[in-house]
Amino acid sequence: MTKARYTPHDMLARLIAFDTTSRDGNIPLIEFVEDYLEDWGIKSLRVDYEAGKKTNLYATIGPDMAGGIVLSGHTDVVPVDGQPWSSDPFQMVEKDGKFYGRGACDMKGFLATALALVPEFKAASLKTPIHLALSCDEEVGCIGVRPLVAYMKKHLPRPKAVIVGEPTLMKVVNAHKGAHTFATEVLGHEAHSSCTHLGVNAILVAGELLSEIGRIAADMRERGDPSGRFNPPYTSVHVGLIEGGTAKNIIPRRCAFKWETRLLPGSDPDEVPARFDRFARSLEPAMKRIAADTGITTDCTNKVPGLRPQPDSPAEHLALHLAEANGTEAVSYCTEAGLFQEIGIPSIICGPGSIEQAHKADEFIAISEMAKCEAFMRRLIRHCVN
Ligand SMILES: [Zn+2]
């Protein structure tokens, strides 16, 4: 039987054709990759996030030992709902030196290049293993990869470096912010709108909390970013969603809002929520004097760790060498790299395409970026045979 061979171009078309919108899962794509790897005699392992629907895949090419290089990417994509695409987002189109399709740059271009080179990885006598780590549910808060990260920590030989192929135009990125998200609920006390003295207006209490968030945000902005690498140059705080109330003439019993902070790496993750919480506690006595069952609760709904720069790490050295770059950059978006770093594996971000095209209608990757990524992977092979 002949083994299937793909150019990075063909492989990208194949991967884009799987609609892997986060909410719908990624099993058909993973099955395709499993079969392809098996054809080439490479065993892979699944670590489920949601059994039967969303899974992560880990495969090793070369010796089964510690010290390998992980090529890591998420397989899920953001929805195309409501976006004005010029062509079918799940049918790759080549035009003007670009490949168009959902996930072209974020981040099937990187995965397609790595997968297309698997036969070359396999044919080389690798002394250092190359691992593939394909994840799910990254676009909804870097949550899907977590069981894989936990599994790697517990059961697998520790790799030397993780290269996360998010789109950086093949620049080497060694730092990004973390993101912590919160859901706050204010429970007040209902009354007729004429009887303001008998009710606790949950919307007005929420308003005070929002003002405090505004003050915290202003203070963080004032404090700035000592590293001078981030845009915006401070830890930011943001409120994204609010709901509350029933009718104009009812004092609202409930108001809830969702907010987040994007932290400079290395900053104290508890500072912002602790200050918010102190302020919330200070509002409660007046609420409880009117009705005992009133109060304010805040839950942390997700924590994505930032990526701390590790300037002398093997990941950074290697990526600079493979990308033929002489400096590193920082980005403001989150990736899975901080999660790998958290379990002690030096991690770096470097991948083809631009984040500018990610998540938009007519997402594309320049063919020249795919070529740069291919050259990067070929240098990786040379690195791993020595
Ligand atoms: Zn991405």
Side-chain angles (χ1 to χ4, degrees):
M1 203 187 81
T2 55
K3 296 166 184 160
R5 272 183 194 271
Y6 294 84
T7 63
H9 171 168
D10 299 334
M11 184 60 89
L12 181 58
R14 197 79 183 78
L15 297 185
I16 285 174
F18 292 103
D19 175 354
T20 50
T21 307
S22 310
R23 62 182 173 227
D24 300 323
N26 66 341
I27 300 296
L29 183 148
I30 294 292
E31 282 172 350
F32 162 75
V33 174
E34 282 170 339
D35 290 348
Y36 169 73
L37 293 176
E38 201 183 295
D39 259 7
W40 288 98
I42 297 154
K43 280 205 288 286
S44 55
L45 159 90
R46 276 193 198 192
V47 181
D48 285 343
Y49 175 64
E50 203 182 309
K53 190 168 182 194
K54 300 173 178 179
T55 196
N56 301 288
L57 181 135
Y58 192 84
T60 299
I61 305 139
D64 185 16
M65 57 182 271
I69 310 299
V70 181
L71 301 175
S72 152
H74 61 83
T75 59
D76 61 318
V77 295
V78 295
V80 296
D81 308 348
Q83 293 186 333
W85 281 77
S86 314
S87 56
D88 180 350
F90 300 106
Q91 200 68 48
M92 193 176 90
V93 172
E94 180 182 349
K95 204 180 144 207
D96 304 330
K98 296 164 184 162
F99 294 132
Y100 288 86
R102 171 52 85 226
C105 73
D106 187 12
M107 54 182 287
K108 290 177 171 173
F110 177 81
L111 293 178
T113 309
L115 288 169
L117 289 186
V118 158
E120 291 180 39
F121 295 163
K122 181 75 183 175
S125 319
L126 299 181
K127 294 203 183 79
T128 302
I130 296 175
H131 309 280
L132 303 175
L134 274 54
S135 70
C136 58
D137 264 12
E138 189 272 351
E139 295 290 7
V140 289
C142 295
I143 52 178
V145 77
R146 289 168 197 233
L148 174 62
V149 172
Y151 187 93
M152 286 168 70
K153 182 178 179 190
K154 217 168 155 196
H155 302 289
L156 297 179
R158 171 167 305 205
K160 177 167 68 180
V162 176
I163 298 168
V164 178
E166 288 281 353
T168 64
L169 290 168
M170 294 310 291
K171 293 181 178 134
V172 178
V173 167
N174 73 350
H176 65 69
K177 289 182 179 178
H180 290 201
T181 54
F182 303 93
T184 295
E185 183 181 50
V186 180
L187 288 182
H189 189 71
E190 248 176 15
H192 188 280
S193 60
S194 63
C195 303
T196 50
H197 62 298
L198 298 179
V200 176
N201 188 316
I203 292 179
L204 284 176
V205 173
E208 295 202 49
L209 294 167
L210 299 180
S211 298
E212 176 67 3
I213 288 179
R215 286 187 290 272
I216 296 172
D219 287 349
M220 290 297 143
R221 187 179 180 140
E222 182 77 11
R223 189 184 296 169
D225 164 27
S227 81
R229 302 182 74 204
F230 287 93
N231 183 21
Y234 44 85
T235 288
S236 60
V237 192
H238 151 89
V239 182
L241 189 73
I242 186 163
E243 52 168 343
T246 313
K248 185 176 70 63
N249 54 2
I250 302 172
I251 291 175
R253 191 184 79 85
R254 180 179 178 275
C255 185
F257 58 91
K258 293 187 176 166
W259 57 288
E260 66 165 28
T261 170
R262 300 255 168 178
L263 298 135
L264 294 169
S267 54
D268 174 7
D270 296 326
E271 182 185 0
V272 169
R275 178 169 160 189
F276 177 85
D277 201 55
R278 275 198 302 281
F279 183 79
R281 298 286 81 84
S282 77
L283 299 178
E284 281 182 326
M287 298 165 69
K288 289 186 186 295
R289 271 199 293 280
I290 294 179
D293 59 354
T294 57
I296 302 161
T297 51
T298 297
D299 292 318
C300 179
T301 47
N302 195 16
K303 287 184 186 179
V304 183
L307 180 65
R308 260 181 310 108
Q310 292 179 286
D312 279 315
S313 79
E316 183 166 320
H317 273 296
L318 178 66
L320 286 170
H321 165 66
L322 300 180
E324 298 186 323
N326 43 27
T328 55
E329 308 207 353
V331 294
S332 284
Y333 55 89
C334 284
T335 76
E336 296 168 342
L339 291 162
F340 290 111
Q341 188 180 55
E342 239 180 20
I343 60 161
I345 312 172
S347 301
I348 202 87
I349 308 161
C350 183
S354 165
I355 196 74
E356 299 269 308
Q357 276 90 48
H359 299 199
K360 292 185 184 160
D362 295 341
E363 175 178 348
F364 69 81
I365 187 164
I367 297 176
S368 58
E369 285 293 308
M370 293 287 287
K372 277 200 266 172
C373 185
E374 201 177 329
F376 178 99
M377 302 257 181
R378 291 234 161 74
R379 283 180 218 116
L380 173 65
I381 297 173
R382 286 201 289 281
H383 170 84
C384 291
V385 295
N386 287 317

